[in-house]
Amino acid sequence: MSAGEIKIVFAGPMGAGKTTAICSVSDVPPVSTEVANTDQAAFAKELTTVALDFGQLLMSDGTVVHLYGTPGQQRFSFMWEIAARGALGVVLLLDGSSATVEEDLRTYLRVFCNVAQSQPLVIGVGRLEPGEQDRLIDFHAVVRELSVNVPIFNIDVRHRKDTLLLIESLLLILEASNPGVQHDVA
Amino acid sequence: MSPKLPVTAEKLSALNLLLHGFATTNAEVHLLLLTSEDGFEVAAHPATDARTARIAAMSSSIQALSDSLMREVGLARSNSLIVEADAGAIVVIGLHVAKPRMSLSIFTSKQQLLGKLLWAVRSLAASIEAELLR
Amino acid sequence: MESVSIAIQISLHACMFFRHAEFERSGSWNRNNTARILPDVINSLHFIATGADLATTASPVRLPMGSTMKLSKEPVGKLERRITLVKSDSSRAAHNSMLFFDSVLWVFKGMSDSEWSLASADDADVVVAHHETDPQQLQQWRSAGKFVVIISTDPAFSDVDAAADKFLLQVPFKSAEALQLLARIDSLLSAGKKGTQPGESSGSEARNSPVNSLTVLEVLRMLRHSAAATHWMLGNINEQQIWVRGDGRQYRCPAHLVEAIRRGAGCSALVSAGLKTPPAGLESRPGFELVWFLAYHTTTLITELSPTASYRLQRWPDFGLVRTSDDVSTVTQMRIVAALDVMPATLAELSFRASALPAETICTLNALWASDCIEPMRVVTNAPAAKKVSVPRSVGGGFKDFLRGIRKHLGIGVTS
């Protein structure tokens, strides 16, 4: 394995579950840059990430995969590009209960399709009420507006297997895009 | 500015005065910025710089990363962060005494002597904290 | 006599084709231009005749200008389809468009798989109406299980119930388009056993029979393109009722039935619940889940799919919803979808590229088709292109080893 950082970026608006997602898979306690949120009127969360969340996957052959969680608020958008540069892929997490979820989707998709043009991107939508899962149809319509085709899954990042589903889809897209790689099958 | 920041108008005025006074006595300093921990601008000199909102966010990011780094290596709390560039320097000082926590960022030209600046900035930081605690 | 009869038939056909060709060009009848378009008409006759499914007794006829044409006798043993054309006098264009459709039926009589005959609206399987027809009337026909074909003379017209093109003909349209649409409807009607109308109860048949599942699937696909969210359909799974909302986006059933559906329990034909609504206490689930699993557990290729056609991915299915506890199966499905995302493929190509068994590929393709996630390549569409991705340089040449390693480390996928 050649030198250089291997990283997966978790992006999305505040409260979408980026820190939780990283915590669910990281092999080390993630480094957090969360501070007190002074804008409770806009976001009813006590803490907010102002730089990066940082976790790691420590593989047995010594390879380390870095997991970065970007700050969600727009004023920290400079961090999105810094984090996404050269990433293996981007996991975009959205809060399905947010009134602005479709606008968030447009915003983040525009940015990350631009800064991470050749990296796979998958979308996980959390906090959908039971019976609301069909709203993914609406999100697909938004994605089509931007002329891209990316996976959108209904997930709950509190469950490790859901975060793994998102990572697996990134890996499968990479694998399918590289015809020289034969699949490992049982 | 964050709408919820508990800094009264009177305090804000006093803070701006402090920043203005510092800039007057340190001609090589071209931007002073007091930011909330989560990246909102509290006070600035000059007040009309269009970049202050973005710089405030960046300063808080760098402050937070610096704090994380210090925790990671076991050096307790980060006091100040210095970034030296070809054309000048940035000093970011965390203000930990008063609540809510803030940081003070000073942007200076290359001509400014760093040692002298650090001494002056620490003095300013103490004055600001005293004002916030008053 | 035979040659005279053939000549008369040719002339009649030629007259209709003059009008067809002109209509296709300009959307209006103009007999003064028939001489100009005669070569095209003759070529059209040749094309259609040689492409038709002809009976064994056919007489080659030499036409002027060196074209040849074969005529067939009336074929026997075809299914009868009833169609009604709703007269529209709202404009000359609307009137002409209906006339044209009528002439398509007349001219190509005997050349389609089924026999189309005009009937009253009450008796018809298919209603052809202008877009200005009263929407309530259109909805009534749809609710009665009829296929409604909209002919639009307004380029800006958009009918959500016409399902993004499904049964919409935009004037000027070619006769081939009308024929393709009728052929599609014909295959949907044929999906019912012995001409059974979608929605009729067929309780005497095995619940898990492929034909029943297909019929239900076709109904569910149609529902997705309807806006009748206030109406409900009733189905039967394992002797228990399920309710499917009229727009196909939701279904309700007892909670324990959800797992049965995911494991492959089939559904008997869906019927309209009339004015009834689901009782309280039922689990509310997304319609996508029902469609996915019903189709996935249909082990033979759905009749609308072809083993030799290429398909492209319109959108990824929600694997967060349809993933099962069987990780191997889920990963295989995802691998198939990822392969399709990169490039359109036939069944065999997909099976190869995804390293999946043909049986797995068939089931997944069925599910993708039923849930509108794929479309055939021949369809002109605005489906967006897959994002072109590359492996970061930091991963380098050991990409395969890296994939194996990370999957093993995370306990995902399938590792050797």
Side-chain angles (χ1 to χ4, degrees):
Chain A
M1 192 67 62
S2 61
E5 187 184 33
I6 304 174
K7 58 183 175 180
I8 297 173
V9 175
F10 289 77
M14 194 173 163
K18 303 178 291 296
T19 308
T20 307
I22 290 173
C23 286
S24 71
V25 295
S26 177
D27 290 324
V28 299
V31 173
S32 164
T33 53
E34 283 190 313
V35 298
N37 171 32
T38 63
D39 194 4
Q40 292 284 324
F43 305 100
K45 265 193 82 186
E46 242 185 82
L47 301 175
T48 184
T49 300
V50 294
L52 292 167
D53 292 325
F54 179 75
Q56 288 179 310
L57 301 176
L58 307 170
M59 285 153 47
S60 58
D61 66 350
T63 305
V64 179
V65 177
H66 296 157
L67 308 171
Y68 286 103
T70 60
Q73 298 185 64
Q74 193 85 14
R75 62 182 180 283
F76 296 107
S77 58
F78 57 87
M79 289 304 302
W80 303 348
E81 184 175 352
I82 293 170
R85 212 176 289 147
L88 195 68
V90 178
V91 175
L92 176 57
L93 296 173
L94 296 171
D95 178 359
S97 68
S98 165
T100 59
V101 61
E102 287 187 19
E103 197 45 52
D104 291 336
L105 174 56
R106 276 189 198 90
T107 301
Y108 282 86
L109 211 52
R110 277 194 194 112
V111 169
F112 282 96
C113 283
N114 192 34
V115 307
Q117 287 179 13
S118 62
Q119 288 111 308
L121 184 143
V122 302
I123 299 172
V125 183
R127 292 205 182 96
L128 287 172
E129 292 291 325
E132 268 193 332
Q133 294 97 332
D134 62 329
R135 284 181 58 202
L136 259 58
I137 297 172
D138 303 325
F139 301 145
H140 276 289
V142 171
V143 167
R144 280 178 80 101
E145 281 173 24
L146 300 170
S147 299
V148 289
N149 194 2
V150 295
I152 306 178
F153 299 155
N154 175 22
I155 48 94
D156 182 347
V157 289
R158 293 172 300 178
H159 302 141
R160 186 169 185 269
K161 60 181 176 64
D162 284 23
T163 308
L164 293 178
L165 178 72
L166 295 167
I167 295 175
E168 173 65 28
S169 58
L170 282 183
L171 300 178
L172 284 168
I173 292 170
L174 280 167
E175 195 170 44
S177 302
N178 290 273
V181 175
Q182 290 296 312
H183 298 108
D184 289 325
V185 290
Chain B
M1 191 176 79
S2 165
K4 284 290 186 183
L5 205 59
V7 178
T8 61
E10 187 196 342
K11 267 206 172 95
L12 187 59
S13 180
L15 291 171
N16 277 316
L17 219 60
L18 282 171
L19 297 184
H20 177 75
F22 187 91
T24 307
T25 52
N26 294 274
E28 299 304 328
V29 169
H30 50 81
L31 178 63
L32 288 127
L33 195 52
L34 188 63
T35 58
S36 69
E37 199 180 26
D38 62 343
F40 286 109
E41 173 199 331
V42 177
H45 180 87
T48 53
D49 195 316
R51 302 165 301 167
T52 50
R54 196 166 158 82
I55 293 173
M58 289 177 169
S59 299
S60 74
S61 293
I62 209 168
Q63 175 69 47
L65 279 169
S66 162
D67 286 343
S68 285
L69 185 58
M70 294 304 124
R71 278 197 302 271
E72 192 70 19
V73 299
L75 288 177
R77 199 175 60 192
S78 161
N79 291 329
S80 62
L81 176 75
I82 301 165
V83 180
E84 282 192 79
D86 288 341
I90 302 168
V91 177
V92 181
I93 286 193
L95 307 177
H96 305 295
V97 176
K99 295 281 184 280
R101 294 177 61 190
M102 297 187 198
S103 59
L104 174 67
S105 304
I106 296 96
F107 301 78
T108 180
S109 69
K110 202 174 170 54
Q111 280 67 41
Q112 179 71 55
L113 287 172
L114 207 50
K116 183 184 168 199
L117 178 68
L118 278 174
W119 180 87
V121 165
R122 286 198 177 113
S123 184
L124 173 62
S127 303
I128 289 173
E129 284 189 314
E131 181 60 46
L132 288 172
L133 286 169
R134 193 162 62 82
Chain C
M1 276 305 291
E2 190 181 337
S3 58
V4 169
S5 166
I6 290 167
I8 292 170
Q9 286 190 55
I10 291 170
S11 302
L12 286 171
H13 279 78
C15 284
M16 296 311 302
F17 276 110
F18 291 162
R19 296 167 76 185
H20 289 167
E22 188 59 29
F23 187 84
E24 289 179 10
R25 283 174 200 280
S26 64
S28 64
W29 303 110
N30 186 347
R31 297 184 186 183
N32 294 330
N33 289 329
T34 50
R36 177 173 59 80
I37 61 172
L38 187 58
D40 289 339
V41 169
I42 298 297
N43 287 332
S44 300
L45 283 169
H46 184 232
F47 168 79
I48 289 159
T50 55
D53 183 18
L54 302 174
T56 50
T57 51
S59 308
V61 174
R62 190 150 297 275
L63 292 176
M65 298 180 194
S67 300
T68 58
M69 176 179 170
K70 289 181 184 179
L71 294 177
S72 67
K73 292 188 176 179
E74 286 292 328
V76 295
K78 289 191 174 182
L79 281 172
E80 186 185 334
R81 304 296 189 205
R82 294 156 296 181
I83 187 167
T84 190
L85 308 184
V86 179
K87 191 178 166 193
S88 175
D89 292 320
S90 58
S91 66
R92 188 182 167 80
H95 177 74
N96 284 348
S97 63
M98 270 314 151
L99 276 183
F100 179 70
F101 197 98
D102 183 23
S103 62
V104 168
L105 289 176
W106 193 86
V107 169
F108 294 99
K109 197 175 177 64
M111 293 189 188
S112 54
D113 290 339
S114 297
E115 206 62 47
W116 292 93
S117 57
L118 292 174
S120 66
D122 286 340
D123 294 332
D125 306 309
V126 181
V127 175
V128 182
H130 188 248
H131 77 263
E132 286 175 354
T133 305
D134 178 22
Q136 270 193 317
Q137 177 64 78
L138 294 176
Q139 188 52 45
Q140 275 176 19
W141 284 323
R142 288 188 177 114
S143 298
K146 299 179 193 299
F147 290 86
V148 175
V149 175
I150 301 289
I151 292 181
S152 169
T153 48
D154 177 5
F157 173 75
S158 166
D159 177 7
V160 66
D161 288 331
D165 93 325
K166 271 243 178 245
F167 304 122
L168 176 68
L169 290 169
Q170 192 71 45
V171 171
F173 57 90
K174 294 184 185 300
S175 48
E177 289 176 62
L179 289 171
Q180 277 174 3
L181 189 145
L182 287 175
R184 204 157 69 227
I185 293 174
D186 188 33
S187 65
L188 290 175
L189 287 166
S190 293
K193 198 173 177 181
K194 291 181 183 175
T196 301
Q197 291 297 318
E200 283 185 20
S201 174
S202 50
S204 60
E205 288 144 10
R207 273 185 295 279
N208 292 345
S209 73
V211 172
N212 270 339
S213 293
L214 286 170
T215 303
V216 167
L217 279 175
E218 292 297 350
V219 172
L220 289 172
R221 285 199 81 212
M222 285 194 298
L223 289 180
R224 288 171 72 84
H225 302 296
S226 101
T230 53
H231 289 85
W232 291 87
M233 306 283 285
L234 271 171
N236 191 301
I237 294 181
N238 291 356
E239 310 272 355
Q240 291 173 87
Q241 273 186 345
I242 68 160
W243 296 74
V244 182
R245 206 166 75 184
D247 60 0
R249 286 177 69 152
Q250 192 188 107
Y251 77 98
R252 295 195 193 169
C253 67
H256 63 270
L257 211 56
V258 175
E259 193 54 37
I261 291 167
R262 293 170 73 93
R263 285 202 191 127
C267 178
S268 63
L270 289 172
V271 296
S272 171
L275 297 174
K276 291 189 206 161
T277 53
L282 295 179
E283 181 98 354
S284 177
R285 304 289 298 178
F288 180 85
E289 179 182 60
L290 179 67
V291 172
W292 179 269
F293 285 105
L294 282 179
Y296 183 76
H297 291 291
T298 303
T299 52
T300 52
L301 199 64
I302 285 175
T303 50
E304 288 206 336
L305 293 172
S306 161
T308 54
S310 266
Y311 294 94
R312 89 175 107 218
L313 188 72
Q314 289 194 91
R315 60 188 169 92
W316 277 72
D318 178 10
F319 281 112
L321 177 68
V322 299
R323 145 188 63 173
T324 61
S325 54
D326 176 6
D327 286 338
V328 172
S329 172
T330 298
V331 170
T332 304
Q333 292 167 31
M334 289 174 72
R335 206 162 56 231
I336 290 167
V337 174
L340 205 52
D341 194 12
V342 169
M343 201 189 316
T346 62
L347 178 66
E349 287 167 354
L350 196 53
S351 187
F352 174 72
R353 285 190 359 226
S355 299
L357 294 171
E360 293 167 329
T361 313
I362 285 171
C363 292
T364 306
L365 215 55
N366 283 344
L368 289 169
W369 174 259
S371 47
D372 274 340
C373 289
I374 58 172
E375 62 185 1
M377 274 291 291
R378 59 176 171 79
V379 173
V380 175
T381 181
N382 293 327
K387 205 167 175 272
K388 289 192 177 359
V389 301
S390 57
V391 176
R393 262 182 276 172
S394 53
V395 178
F399 183 50
K400 185 181 172 186
D401 292 333
F402 167 73
L403 284 179
R404 187 185 292 128
I406 190 171
R407 284 186 169 127
K408 188 178 173 189
H409 183 78
L410 292 172
I412 57 178
V414 185
T415 53
S416 57

